[in-house]
Amino acid sequence: MTKKNNTPQYKIDGFRGIFIYLFGLSGIINILALTGAFYMMQIYDRALTSGSISTLVALSILAIGLYLFQGFFDIIRSQILIRLGARLDVELSPLAHKVVIEMPRYGYSTSEAMERGRDVDTLRGFLASQGPIALFDLPWMPIYLIFVWLLHPMLGMLTVGGAAVMALLTIVAEVLTRRHSQSMVKASVARNSIVDSNARNSEVLHAMGITQRAVERFETANRRHLECQTTTSDIGGTLSGLSKVMRMMLQSAILGLGAYLAIRGDLSAGSIIASSIVTARALAPVDQAIAHWKGVVGARRSHNRLTETLAVLNDTSRHVELPTPHESLTIDNITTVAPTTGAVLLSEVSLRLNAGQALGLIGPSGGGKTTLARSMLGIWPVLRGSVRIDGADLGQWTESFFHQHVGYLPQDVALMDGTIADNISRFAELPDARKIIRAAKNAGIHEMIVHLRDGYQTELGPHGTSLSAGQRQRIALARALYGDPFLIVLDEPNSNLDAEGEEALTRVIAKVRERGGIVVIVAHRPSALQAVDMVGLVQNGRLVAFGPKDEIVQPTKIRPLVVDKTATPNLRAMPAE
């Protein structure tokens, strides 16, 4: 996604203060973790040698108190991490979902976009796991190493050597897991893309008998994903097993060396037990970190992706609220490229429409009409040039401008899961019933809606598939008309309409013009041009003709238009003979 020079609405670095607090809390916990070692030293070296029951009881009470404090702080740390994950989800999920919505405009697949939503889940799950606890404990390992060294330098050297080997295993886990983890993510995206495509095209797959082939494609992608996942898990499991073996061997080696030193009189019996306990505690965070390293790598990858993608969100906090548009739409020498390939789809297009005008865009399929319509609304950002409404570039208008003053009917009609009223009102928090009904009447669909069992409260379900294509298109047209927007862009608005629907569309365009709005229509069927006064011929990515309808379209009987593909800017669209 193309970065913009503005400040993101939220930064993950906002949690830095909490992490510093947790780091300090981890220091207290790790100091209290020495309780067991000190207790064993005092039991073996003081209570047993003196035979004092009171000393044993006092030491035990003190140890119990310190253990309770350690457990209390450990619970606090765990609960803070869980709530930190929940807070992160609350604050980041809406922004991540906005990225999910925006990414397809830049050529990303739906599966790639959905990964950003899953990144928030990954971070929340990681914070609730043992992974962060291991990472917070790792920096405090020197406390234990110093303790063992003070007991005897030879024990300290052995513990440091073991810690170095464990650290090396951690580095190996990082290198190997990161490389295979990237492959697993790519394989997961590829698999999910096939799942999404198969689900969206289920009718075609069934009708054309290619369901089995679709399943085979999924099976191939799923097998690749499983191979990558198995490899990654094997690496993590192998290194985790090695770390456990190393930790047990080192703990036994400490006991053996301690016994040797005790036999020589250089170490007490209590120190042998204490050194074994402390060594195990010192290496436990490394062991846990290796076991959870797959989660560490995944969380870091999710953090980096969220940081990068959130940085491209528009910061509208500094936008000045501009007056309600009422004058013009100006397209100034724009060039638009395909988000996925970078191929130039539209080149050096300029035009101007004033309030009360309606433009019909005609031309051959693939000529650039839909691209021009998308560029007008900023759906596909322009590479060069500008789109201005009342003289202000689209980037100067807030999101509320598009909600209130723009209507759009896409070529592929998509209704959202909700009621008819929800869809027409664009899911407004406080929908205006009068505006909903007026938009439905203008689209010529009010009578159809009220004859449904639940009327405007009829649930459409996913994609509105319970309705016919024509009904969905007219509801989408009503949605575009809701609130009497200033600019209305309709891409093939009559592709699924009957004669009655086309008459309603013609009336809609006339009414918008009468109230001073601007309408842009992408059309293949000439009946959609009856109420427009301006026509533009888009061919090979260029606006080769633009002007009053009577000058661009020959005033003959309305017939399907055939465009001469060798046309120059002075040639007209000619009716079929």
Side-chain angles (χ1 to χ4, degrees):
M1 297 174 68
T2 305
K3 286 193 176 184
K4 301 179 181 179
N5 294 324
N6 43 35
T7 306
Q9 295 175 340
Y10 179 81
K11 291 183 179 179
I12 301 178
D13 293 340
F15 293 108
R16 185 176 298 168
I18 299 176
F19 285 131
I20 292 174
Y21 173 78
L22 288 172
F23 178 75
L25 189 62
S26 297
I28 296 175
I29 293 171
N30 279 274
I31 291 174
L32 289 173
L34 293 171
T35 298
F38 278 110
Y39 179 68
M40 296 308 297
M41 287 179 63
Q42 297 302 314
I43 290 294
Y44 278 91
D45 297 342
R46 178 174 297 183
L48 290 180
T49 55
S50 65
S52 172
I53 301 296
S54 59
T55 301
L56 177 62
V57 171
L59 289 173
S60 299
I61 293 174
L62 178 61
I64 290 172
L66 293 175
Y67 279 132
L68 289 175
F69 272 111
Q70 180 187 352
F72 174 72
F73 289 129
D74 219 345
I75 291 172
I76 290 178
R77 180 174 63 175
S78 177
Q79 291 183 348
I80 289 175
L81 285 169
I82 292 172
R83 282 156 179 76
L84 184 62
R87 175 184 159 187
L88 179 142
D89 194 303
V90 168
E91 297 194 23
L92 287 186
S93 286
L95 298 178
H97 190 65
K98 183 175 181 180
V99 173
V100 171
I101 295 172
E102 294 288 324
M103 284 183 67
R105 295 200 297 114
Y106 294 86
Y108 291 85
S109 69
T110 303
S111 296
E112 288 175 299
M114 292 298 292
E115 282 295 318
R116 298 308 183 271
R118 296 189 187 100
D119 284 338
V120 178
D121 295 335
T122 299
L123 282 176
R124 186 190 67 246
F126 174 72
L127 289 173
S129 70
Q130 292 297 310
I133 293 176
L135 295 180
F136 279 121
D137 286 343
L138 274 175
W140 299 102
M141 279 182 59
I143 293 177
Y144 304 106
L145 299 180
I146 292 172
F147 180 86
V148 175
W149 195 286
L150 291 176
L151 291 177
H152 198 283
M154 291 181 65
L155 293 175
M157 286 186 287
L158 180 59
T159 304
V160 169
V165 174
M166 297 286 282
L168 180 62
L169 287 176
T170 305
I171 295 173
V172 172
E174 158 69 11
V175 174
L176 296 180
T177 306
R178 179 193 295 181
R179 185 178 62 188
H180 290 284
S181 179
Q182 291 173 347
S183 300
M184 186 176 67
V185 170
K186 292 179 180 178
S188 176
V189 170
R191 183 190 64 168
N192 292 338
S193 294
I194 293 176
V195 172
D196 180 65
S197 176
N198 289 347
R200 285 187 290 106
N201 295 282
S202 59
E203 294 181 3
V204 174
L205 297 177
H206 175 75
M208 300 184 69
I210 53 178
T211 300
Q212 184 58 39
R213 177 56 186 148
V215 172
E216 291 172 358
R217 289 183 66 237
F218 166 77
E219 186 180 6
T220 301
N222 188 56
R223 189 180 297 113
R224 171 60 181 161
H225 173 259
L226 290 176
E227 289 174 357
C228 294
Q229 187 178 51
T230 301
T231 301
T232 304
S233 299
D234 283 346
I235 292 172
T238 300
L239 294 176
S240 178
L242 287 175
S243 69
K244 289 179 181 179
V245 170
M246 285 295 303
R247 184 159 61 91
M248 290 187 293
M249 289 176 60
L250 181 61
Q251 197 170 355
S252 298
I254 289 291
L255 286 172
L257 180 59
Y260 168 75
L261 294 173
I263 292 173
R264 293 183 52 184
D266 295 334
L267 199 68
S268 66
S271 297
I272 298 175
I273 305 300
S275 62
S276 176
I277 294 173
V278 172
T279 300
R281 174 66 187 181
L283 300 181
V286 182
D287 194 17
Q288 286 186 0
I290 293 175
H292 293 87
W293 203 256
K294 180 180 176 182
V296 173
V297 173
R300 185 178 58 214
R301 182 179 60 247
S302 295
H303 172 274
N304 292 338
R305 281 196 308 210
L306 281 172
T307 302
E308 293 171 1
T309 52
L310 291 178
V312 306
L313 291 179
N314 286 324
D315 180 16
T316 58
S317 59
R318 297 183 181 180
H319 283 186
V320 175
E321 195 73 29
L322 297 175
T324 300
H326 64 281
E327 294 179 358
S328 63
L329 166 68
T330 304
I331 296 177
D332 185 14
N333 203 35
I334 66 170
T335 296
T336 304
V337 299
T340 49
T341 64
V344 176
L345 302 179
L346 208 63
S347 179
E348 300 177 356
V349 172
S350 297
L351 60 85
R352 177 185 173 90
L353 294 174
N354 295 317
Q357 289 189 312
L359 169 66
L361 294 176
I362 61 174
S365 297
K369 303 184 299 300
T370 295
T371 300
L372 178 54
R374 289 172 174 169
S375 300
M376 288 179 181
L377 300 177
I379 297 173
W380 283 4
V382 297
L383 181 65
R384 290 188 296 271
S386 62
V387 179
R388 299 180 179 275
I389 295 179
D390 284 9
D393 187 271
L394 283 185
Q396 299 180 32
W397 296 93
T398 62
E399 186 173 320
S400 63
F401 157 76
F402 292 94
H403 180 71
Q404 298 174 16
H405 305 301
V406 171
Y408 177 51
L409 174 61
Q411 189 173 20
D412 298 323
V413 176
L415 298 178
M416 301 177 69
D417 193 354
T419 66
I420 292 177
D422 288 336
N423 276 272
I424 294 177
S425 68
R426 309 178 186 188
F427 288 83
E429 292 183 8
L430 298 173
D432 189 320
R434 289 175 299 179
K435 290 182 179 179
I436 293 173
I437 294 173
R438 183 167 68 247
K441 286 183 175 180
N442 288 338
I445 202 170
H446 173 71
E447 295 298 327
M448 185 278 290
I449 295 174
V450 296
H451 277 85
L452 296 174
R453 186 181 66 178
D454 296 322
Y456 282 90
Q457 296 306 312
T458 299
E459 292 285 347
L460 296 180
H463 311 297
T465 51
S466 60
L467 302 177
S468 69
Q471 289 173 327
R472 291 198 301 271
Q473 189 164 42
R474 291 170 76 173
I475 290 177
L477 176 60
R479 178 179 62 189
L481 299 173
Y482 177 78
D484 297 329
F486 172 68
L487 172 62
I488 299 177
V489 179
L490 309 174
D491 193 350
E492 296 288 350
N494 59 343
S495 59
N496 295 305
L497 298 184
D498 52 18
E500 180 184 352
E502 290 195 343
E503 291 177 5
L505 177 63
T506 301
R507 290 194 299 270
V508 163
I509 298 170
K511 288 181 179 179
V512 174
R513 293 183 60 189
E514 288 173 6
R515 62 174 174 79
I518 293 176
V519 183
V520 177
I521 303 175
V522 176
H524 280 294
R525 292 163 61 178
S527 56
L529 304 179
Q530 290 185 12
V532 306
D533 60 326
M534 305 292 289
V535 170
L537 172 60
V538 183
Q539 184 172 297
N540 297 326
R542 292 180 177 272
L543 186 64
V544 299
F546 171 70
K549 180 174 66 173
D550 293 341
E551 295 181 10
I552 304 300
V553 180
Q554 293 182 0
T556 59
K557 229 181 210 185
I558 297 176
R559 296 178 185 175
L561 293 177
V562 177
V563 179
D564 183 0
K565 293 189 177 181
T566 62
T568 65
N570 295 321
L571 293 181
R572 302 175 181 177
M574 298 177 291
E577 294 296 329

